Amino acid sequence: MQFKIKWKRAYEKVEEMDGFRVLVDRLWPRGLKKEDVKIDYWAKAITPSKELRESYHKKIIDFKSFSEKYRAELDKNTNFKEFEDTVLKELKKRNVTLIYASRIPELSHIPVLRKFIEEKLRK
């Protein structure tokens, strides 16, 4: 059986098929209790820096600039290897579900992170 990486909002129902659940947001999802979200690993270190996130949310930079800068942060992120190793180890045993809070994930860091992860894991 081949296990998969899945993506899911934190507000969606926790399911057994989620497998290993990884929160890929720097901030805890609003209004949710930790015991209800059932996170196995919180990957804060691979999320956009506070400065970059705030620049984007305050509309100082647009989504294109945000995406480019976040990609550059990921390229230099020394913590990504630990995240990658953890995901690969868990994929040998079960699905890995990457959890995020954004209501509009296509305008968040999620598509950038998703593409980066896909590129890294293909190697």
Side-chain angles (χ1 to χ4, degrees), residues 2-120:
Q2 187 172 356
F3 297 105
K4 298 186 237 178
I5 294 179
K6 300 169 18 169
W7 295 79
K8 191 175 197 177
R9 271 193 89 216
Y11 303 94
E12 293 178 48
K13 182 181 173 196
V14 176
E15 298 172 305
E16 190 175 323
M17 290 302 297
D18 291 345
F20 188 74
R21 293 172 53 90
V22 181
L23 181 61
V24 291
D25 279 337
R26 185 168 297 270
L27 304 175
W28 189 260
R30 280 190 186 159
L32 294 179
K33 295 179 185 170
K34 291 186 179 175
E35 58 272 10
D36 294 339
V37 183
K38 295 187 175 38
I39 296 299
D40 297 301
Y41 176 58
W42 191 354
K44 285 184 200 181
I46 64 159
T47 63
S49 65
K50 180 181 182 214
E51 297 78 17
L52 180 58
R53 191 172 37 80
E54 287 177 353
S55 292
Y56 179 54
H57 290 297
K58 291 177 182 177
K59 300 189 184 341
I60 297 168
I61 60 173
D62 63 9
F63 183 70
K64 185 176 186 293
S65 295
F66 168 77
S67 297
E68 291 167 356
K69 290 175 187 233
Y70 178 43
R71 173 64 194 228
E73 285 184 355
L74 284 169
D75 283 331
K76 292 185 262 175
N77 191 327
T78 57
N79 296 299
F80 192 85
K81 180 72 173 127
E82 177 187 330
F83 167 81
E84 182 180 21
D85 291 346
T86 300
V87 168
L88 289 172
K89 179 180 143 216
E90 292 300 326
L91 277 172
K92 291 176 183 174
K93 303 182 275 187
R94 55 190 167 168
N95 290 329
V96 173
T97 301
L98 303 180
I99 307 294
Y100 59 90
S102 177
R103 272 183 273 147
I104 309 171
E106 54 278 356
L107 293 177
S108 73
H109 70 290
I110 297 303
V112 180
L113 180 60
R114 184 178 211 156
K115 184 176 181 187
F116 190 81
I117 290 169
E118 288 169 356
E119 289 170 3
K120 287 288 188 182

